[in-house]
Amino acid sequence: MQPKSEAAEAPRRGRRTPGAGQNARSRGRGLEFGHWWWALPGIALVFAIHYVATGIGGFFAFTNWTGIGAFKITGWANFEAIFKDPTKVGALSNTLFLAFGSVLLGNIAGLVIALGLNRVLKTRYILRTLFFMPVVLSPLATAYIWKYIFDFDGPLNALLTAIGAGDQAKPWLADPQWAIWTVLVVLVWSSTGFAMVIFMAGLAGVPAEVEEAAAIDGANLWQRFRNVTLPAIRPAVAIATTLGIVQGLRVFDPIMALTGGGPAGATETLATQVYKQAFALGNFGGGAALALVLAAIILIFAVLQQRLTRSNPED
């Protein structure tokens, strides 16, 4: 028989206080609300900068606003003017050429470098830093250095003259035939290091035992790369290609520093045309329409590229 005091305490210990569960749930909801409260400033900032600003720019694409004063709705007139203007069409073709050319050459060069540095080399860390350095340097500063290299009195023509090929020296950036290619060289140089890092991250996940088994079975270097390495790094290829296309389609700084879109519009892109229409010519409505077209092109190619390079679940 339990003592009277213990018998009286037993039910009291097992009894739940009314409203205890509700208080716990309230505290849980308060904690969750507290987490959302801390995130709200960041969410509001992203929403204001990206979505609200993009929506306002999209609205002005259907107006004749000059950036100052009143405006009126013009409908699709700005977009019709874009596709009727040979300059804008040429800028679109230059944009696609530079974007896909830099992605193709930059990814191939980055993959080759990543495969070479993936081996055990004593100097691989130094080489990684050297190849990645163009990515962290200022695009505008490096573009001015390249401009000096491609100048008619620059190091490139001096080297050609020194090796007896002086007849090949030319004003690379002032020649409409070669200017676009010089810009492509600069873009490939600046994007190779970024692709290299992505591919090296993908190669780190390739099991060495699988490659060794393929080598034992008699597969040569190309067969091991095609059947073992490349399928394993397909996600890395998708990431590098997507980011490269997006960056290539909106390239602006190197072109403005190297050629300013010239000579005779040979290196004009949609990004440089957006700047010139909106801020140099005072046609803010036309510049906003160009920016909207550029955003649509980037979205379309990014989605298509993701669908083409996504991993197959059966692989």
Side-chain angles (χ1 to χ4, degrees):
M1 183 174 179
Q2 294 180 349
K4 186 176 181 180
S5 60
E6 294 183 3
E9 289 292 335
R12 194 174 299 169
R13 286 195 299 266
R15 188 185 306 161
R16 295 187 61 185
T17 304
Q22 295 179 358
N23 292 334
R25 287 192 295 270
S26 298
R27 287 194 299 269
R29 286 195 297 268
L31 186 62
E32 293 177 0
F33 179 75
H35 286 298
W36 277 104
W37 177 258
W38 285 104
L40 281 178
I43 296 174
L45 185 63
V46 171
F47 185 81
I49 292 177
H50 290 279
Y51 298 104
V52 175
T54 302
I56 294 175
F59 168 76
F60 282 117
F62 298 92
T63 68
N64 64 346
W65 192 40
T66 61
I68 301 175
F71 60 88
K72 66 177 181 178
I73 305 296
T74 58
W76 297 93
N78 290 327
F79 297 93
E80 294 175 358
I82 290 174
F83 294 103
K84 290 180 180 179
D85 188 352
T87 303
K88 308 295 190 304
V89 177
L92 174 60
S93 63
N94 290 338
T95 302
L96 297 177
F97 172 77
L98 291 175
F100 287 96
S102 61
V103 167
L104 179 63
L105 299 179
N107 282 2
I108 292 176
L111 180 57
V112 171
I113 296 172
L115 289 171
L117 296 181
N118 193 45
R119 303 300 177 182
V120 180
L121 297 174
K122 293 183 179 180
T123 59
R124 67 182 183 276
Y125 298 109
I126 299 176
L127 293 176
R128 289 177 188 176
T129 303
L130 292 176
F131 284 118
F132 188 71
M133 190 174 295
V135 180
V136 299
L137 295 176
S138 169
L140 196 61
T142 54
Y144 280 116
I145 296 174
W146 279 103
K147 185 176 183 179
Y148 168 70
I149 293 174
F150 286 118
D151 191 72
F152 185 76
D153 297 325
L156 179 59
N157 285 339
L159 176 63
L160 293 174
T161 303
I163 63 176
D167 56 332
Q168 299 297 325
K170 55 178 61 68
W172 302 94
L173 294 174
D175 190 336
Q177 182 180 357
W178 289 96
I180 191 72
W181 293 98
T182 57
V183 173
L184 180 62
V185 169
V186 176
L187 295 181
V188 172
W189 173 82
S190 62
S191 63
T192 297
F194 187 73
M196 176 202 70
V197 171
I198 296 177
F199 289 134
M200 290 192 71
L203 290 172
V206 180
E209 297 80 5
V210 178
E211 291 188 357
E212 293 174 358
I216 293 174
D217 291 339
N220 56 33
L221 188 62
W222 168 250
Q223 291 173 335
R224 294 200 301 270
F225 170 76
R226 180 180 179 182
N227 300 316
V228 178
T229 305
L230 192 58
I233 64 172
R234 185 179 297 176
V237 174
I239 294 173
T241 307
T242 301
L243 296 178
I245 289 176
V246 172
Q247 183 65 27
L249 288 173
R250 60 187 184 91
V251 62
F252 175 77
D253 293 352
I255 296 178
M256 291 301 294
L258 288 170
T259 63
T267 59
E268 202 77 71
T269 63
L270 290 180
T272 60
Q273 276 291 303
V274 168
Y275 168 78
K276 291 180 179 180
Q277 290 292 323
F279 300 104
L281 301 178
N283 183 14
F284 195 91
L290 268 173
L292 202 60
V293 171
L294 178 59
I297 292 173
I298 292 175
L299 180 63
I300 291 172
F301 280 110
V303 172
L304 288 177
Q305 189 277 330
Q306 282 292 318
R307 289 185 175 274
L308 292 175
T309 58
R310 64 183 177 182
S311 299
N312 188 355
E314 298 179 356
D315 289 345

